[in-house]
Amino acid sequence: MNTKNSLNFKQSWTVAKWEFLHFFKLKQEVIGKLIMLAAGLVIYFVANKSQQLDDVYKIATAQSFEVNQDLPNATSFEFIEVDNLQEVVTGLTQESVFDAALEFHESNSTSLGEQMVNASLTTAEKSGWQNQLITLINAEMQMAKFEQLNLTSEQQVALSTPINIDHKVLDDLLKNEADKTQTLTAYGVLFLLVVAVFGVFGQLFVSITGEKQNRVTEQLMATMTPQTWIDGKLLGQILFAVKTMIGTLLSIVISFLFFSVVIKHQSLDLNIINWSLLPWLFAFAIAGLSICAAFMAAIASAIDDPNHSGKSGLMMLPLVPVVLTFFLIDSPNSVITVFLSYLPVTSFAVMPVRMSLVELPIWEPILSLILSFACFYYFRILAARVFKMGMNMYGKEPTLKDMLKATYKG
């Protein structure tokens, strides 16, 4: 018995390695990362070049206008008062000493009795320096308005500071704003899970239907059992999906660091990720991927012609729990949310998000994980039974009734 189990495991592992390496190409992975690095360098140089102001731009105005030289980029712009602003506007499309024309408009008075001053900027072409000019003018006009209202420096700072509304919930079980990173981390893992599920969907669909059409599996069935074959394929696909999730996560983190540190010159900050919650989320993701892969393998083995089969749409059903989670996020303690967080076919998506919102005793996620892996254990057996039936049927697709019979007849 032990010798037979050992042989089955070795055969499953051989199939898993073949399935994994069938889609994993190290050379292509390296080339993809190098292309990503090259694209990042191009973005860096383009962004750096567009933000540099190598010239002093001359702006014509109909009235005297000066900006505080302490403001960012203030020295890159020179505001020159002219007698005929309209003549400058007309000449902008030709060779002109001015780069833009700035005109101020006084509109209706406010309830405080002050005049609202708006401005219009006219340029011959669209260029990156104009956004920085508009920001500079806005800052100067805001300061002028503050001085007009005789506001103290403290009042000016208070008015310039955006209002932050901190929503606190009195339910002790619910986490508040301080745990926002957990919610972001949970959503991030859900996104990675969707990416991985789409990958498994495409590869299992191509792999199983292609092997069935080419009658490859028919020959392999003589050397191993359908259960050994399907176990190996599922293990290979799960390993590849985990590789996809880790690779995508690294790409996102590197891109985030690139834009925040290199482009925006901000300090290194990865506090948006809750590292203590991450292992739990990946455990649920692996459980969910296993269940989804087993379900997809069963459906794919029942497809005879991938171009005309009506069962192809069924392979997208594993995405339903992820979509449901977004509708349940506002009521994490409702009866239906609690129920779905234990139901094995939905818990891999619902429980991680619930953990990010509610203080749960540790036995709850552990129980949910155990149920999920137990579900996968039986799903792989059912998938092998449907796989065995599907591989023996050519020219005719099994109906859903046939598939259901195969799951309990073996």
Side-chain angles (χ1 to χ4, degrees):
M1 188 66 180
N2 290 334
T3 305
K4 185 179 178 182
N5 289 337
S6 176
L7 177 62
N8 288 341
F9 176 76
K10 286 181 180 177
Q11 288 179 332
S12 291
W13 182 244
T14 302
V15 176
K17 285 195 294 184
W18 175 81
E19 185 76 6
F20 180 79
L21 296 175
H22 181 57
F23 295 100
F24 178 73
K25 308 296 180 188
L26 180 60
K27 184 179 177 181
Q28 293 179 7
E29 290 282 332
V30 173
I31 292 175
K33 292 294 183 286
L34 289 176
I35 292 175
M36 186 178 170
L37 178 62
L41 291 175
V42 170
I43 293 172
Y44 168 72
F45 285 115
V46 170
N48 198 35
K49 185 66 178 174
S50 64
Q51 290 180 356
Q52 284 182 351
L53 299 177
D54 299 328
D55 201 356
V56 175
Y57 300 91
K58 294 182 178 179
I59 315 300
T61 62
Q63 63 192 72
S64 177
F65 181 71
E66 293 181 355
V67 296
N68 187 339
Q69 294 300 303
D70 293 332
L71 292 173
N73 301 317
T75 56
S76 298
F77 299 98
E78 183 181 358
F79 297 90
I80 302 173
E81 185 177 357
V82 296
D83 295 330
N84 191 340
L85 188 64
Q86 189 58 43
E87 184 178 343
V88 174
V89 172
T90 306
L92 282 175
T93 54
Q94 304 167 6
E95 287 193 10
S96 173
V97 296
F98 293 101
D99 299 291
L102 178 63
E103 186 175 8
F104 295 97
H105 311 282
E106 290 189 358
S107 57
N108 297 331
S109 57
T110 66
S111 58
L112 296 174
E114 303 294 340
Q115 291 289 326
M116 289 290 292
V117 180
N118 297 314
S120 60
L121 183 70
T122 307
T123 58
E125 297 176 349
K126 179 70 176 170
S127 184
W129 59 266
Q130 294 155 13
N131 292 329
Q132 299 183 42
L133 173 61
I134 291 173
T135 303
L136 177 66
I137 295 171
N138 266 329
E140 179 60 31
M141 292 178 69
Q142 188 181 39
M143 290 179 63
K145 192 179 295 183
F146 286 159
E147 291 177 2
Q148 195 176 31
L149 295 172
N150 292 323
L151 298 178
T152 64
S153 57
E154 290 79 9
Q155 290 172 323
Q156 293 180 19
V157 171
L159 286 174
S160 304
T161 304
I163 298 173
N164 184 26
I165 300 177
D166 184 19
H167 181 197
K168 290 188 178 296
V169 181
L170 295 179
D171 187 344
D172 294 334
L173 293 178
L174 291 180
K175 299 173 181 177
N176 287 299
E177 289 296 318
D179 301 299
K180 199 173 181 180
T181 58
Q182 299 201 21
T183 308
L184 291 175
T185 306
Y187 275 123
V189 173
L190 276 183
F191 169 75
L192 295 177
L193 185 61
V194 171
V195 172
V197 168
F198 270 111
V200 171
F201 162 73
Q203 288 159 192
L204 273 177
F205 189 75
V206 171
S207 172
I208 293 181
T209 57
E211 290 158 9
K212 184 178 180 182
Q213 286 186 320
N214 295 326
R215 303 209 167 195
V216 174
T217 317
E218 192 178 47
Q219 301 171 25
L220 290 169
M221 287 301 99
T223 61
M224 64 182 71
T225 64
Q227 187 66 64
T228 304
W229 176 249
I230 203 72
D231 283 348
K233 289 191 81 68
L234 291 179
L235 181 58
Q237 287 295 333
I238 292 167
L239 289 174
F240 191 83
V242 172
K243 192 275 309 175
T244 301
M245 291 180 67
I246 294 174
T248 307
L249 176 63
L250 288 176
S251 298
I252 293 173
V253 170
I254 292 172
S255 300
F256 173 75
L257 292 177
F258 181 80
F259 279 98
S260 61
V261 178
V262 180
I263 301 292
K264 294 186 176 180
H265 305 290
Q266 296 174 344
S267 59
L268 179 64
D269 185 9
L270 286 177
N271 289 330
I272 59 170
I273 299 175
N274 189 298
W275 299 99
S276 62
L277 189 65
L278 208 54
W280 282 103
L281 301 182
F282 266 101
F284 276 103
I286 292 172
L289 278 172
S290 304
I291 294 173
C292 293
F295 176 81
M296 289 176 176
I299 299 297
S301 59
I303 294 175
D304 193 58
D305 183 356
N307 296 317
H308 301 93
S309 176
K311 294 187 180 69
S312 303
L314 294 176
M315 295 184 69
M316 301 304 292
L317 283 179
L319 290 177
V320 172
V322 180
V323 177
L324 281 177
T325 303
F326 288 98
F327 291 101
L328 299 171
I329 191 73
D330 290 330
S331 49
N333 276 335
S334 66
V335 175
I336 187 168
T337 306
V338 174
F339 172 72
L340 293 179
S341 66
Y342 289 106
L343 189 66
V345 294
T346 56
S347 61
F348 67 89
V350 180
M351 181 57 89
V353 175
R354 194 163 165 251
M355 286 177 69
S356 70
L357 298 171
V358 185
E359 292 287 355
L360 296 176
I362 194 167
W363 65 264
E364 290 198 30
I366 289 177
L367 176 61
S368 182
L369 264 180
I370 291 173
L371 292 175
S372 296
F373 282 112
C375 176
F376 165 66
Y377 177 79
Y378 287 103
F379 259 45
R380 51 172 274 282
I381 295 175
L382 301 181
R385 291 176 178 176
V386 177
F387 180 78
K388 179 183 176 183
M389 179 196 63
M391 290 301 112
N392 292 325
M393 295 182 71
Y394 291 97
K396 178 191 175 185
E397 275 194 3
T399 63
L400 292 176
K401 186 177 179 182
D402 294 332
M403 295 170 65
L404 193 60
K405 284 182 179 177
T407 57
Y408 65 82
K409 284 186 177 178

